[in-house]
Amino acid sequence: MAEEAVKTTSKSEIAYEWLRERIARHEYGPGYRLVLAEIAGALDMSVVPVREAIRRLEAERLVTFERNVGARVAMVDQNEYVHAMQTLGVVEGVATALSAPQLPEENIARARRVNERMIALLDHFDAHEFTALNQQFHSLLFACCPNPQILDLVHQGWTRLSGLRDSTFAFVPDRAHRSVEEHEEILRLITEKADPLDIEFAARNHRWATMQAFLDARERANR
């Protein structure tokens, strides 16, 4: 019995990772219906571990469940997205400004290399990889923030955005070009030891510009 439970847990983890990757890559977009039997067949397993995987995704708000409809990939809650981006813009801007005077040259060099990789992706765009690199870039710049409470708020903000699932760069790929240019400007301000307020505003407005690009695209799509 215990061995059977371990096998079920293992299969549930496989199903969870399989589904989460497809949601992250937008193979299963907002509103996509998740049919247990079809997924179980694709993974060559019973529906039991698939059901457990979907429950995990539901707890992470990546999936919703409706009576008489079943499980679907969650739609992006626009208000929640805006609130998360506004908050992250503020706290990440402060964290980046506080981190800048203590930032090792290695962090700046690594951040520059990450941005170069993001630029290289523009011709063959992969929103999922671009988003992961974007988080890596910003993490290198706010890493030395001396205020642990602000850092904690930044990490909470990133976690909340990850839970919202939808990448702005998948929805508005054109934003990626402007984003890497803004990264270069933030790096310039840090390397030139600019006024901390200038660094803070640049980092904050960078985040808010991404948010606004998302809102503008949603408005165009709903016309």
Side-chain angles (χ1 to χ4, degrees):
M1 191 65 144
E3 183 179 349
E4 183 178 343
V6 169
K7 287 181 179 178
T8 301
T9 301
S10 177
K11 287 183 177 181
S12 174
E13 185 67 28
I14 291 170
Y16 167 80
E17 295 293 343
W18 190 86
L19 286 167
R20 202 179 199 287
E21 179 180 357
R22 279 153 182 76
I23 292 171
R25 290 187 176 277
H26 300 269
E27 292 177 32
Y28 294 169
Y32 185 92
R33 187 165 175 242
L34 299 172
V35 181
L36 270 68
E38 292 180 1
I39 297 168
L43 293 172
D44 193 24
M45 61 177 64
S46 74
V47 298
V48 174
V50 175
R51 185 180 294 112
E52 290 300 318
I54 287 175
R55 284 174 181 165
R56 283 181 64 184
L57 293 167
E58 186 180 2
E60 294 175 6
R61 295 184 293 181
L62 300 182
V63 167
T64 58
F65 188 86
E66 301 175 41
R67 187 183 297 273
N68 301 323
V69 175
R72 291 184 183 274
V73 176
M75 302 295 289
V76 177
D77 184 312
Q78 181 169 306
N79 288 333
E80 188 174 359
Y81 173 83
V82 169
H83 295 160
M85 287 290 277
Q86 285 177 337
T87 303
L88 183 57
V90 171
V91 295
E92 189 176 83
V94 173
T96 303
L98 290 175
S99 175
Q102 307 178 58
L103 206 60
E105 287 296 327
E106 174 58 22
N107 278 48
I108 296 173
R110 287 173 60 194
R112 200 176 299 282
R113 290 196 295 270
V114 170
N115 202 45
E116 288 170 357
R117 289 171 61 192
M118 296 173 75
I119 293 169
L121 277 177
L122 294 176
D123 291 333
H124 304 283
F125 195 62
D126 181 329
H128 181 68
E129 184 177 355
F130 192 92
T131 299
L133 288 171
N134 185 59
Q135 181 170 358
Q136 187 179 343
F137 173 87
H138 288 287
S139 296
L140 286 165
L141 298 188
F142 62 65
C144 295
C145 175
N147 187 317
Q149 293 186 29
I150 291 176
L151 263 183
D152 186 52
L153 291 172
V154 174
H155 291 308
Q156 287 180 38
W158 275 104
T159 299
R160 184 176 295 275
L161 282 175
S162 176
L164 288 172
R165 173 199 49 75
D166 208 65
S167 165
T168 305
F169 299 115
F171 194 64
V172 195
D174 289 347
R175 169 61 189 155
H177 291 263
R178 183 64 185 141
S179 182
V180 292
E181 293 174 2
E182 291 167 4
H183 285 177
E184 291 294 336
E185 175 62 12
I186 294 170
L187 286 170
R188 184 189 68 79
L189 290 170
I190 292 173
T191 55
E192 293 181 0
K193 303 188 185 306
D195 188 295
L197 278 178
D198 290 337
I199 297 172
E200 177 184 340
F201 290 159
R204 184 197 67 187
N205 291 336
H206 167 68
R207 179 70 53 195
W208 286 5
T210 299
M211 174 192 71
Q212 191 59 52
F214 174 85
L215 293 176
D216 291 344
R218 285 291 287 264
E219 183 179 350
R220 289 194 298 270
N222 292 330
R223 285 175 186 167

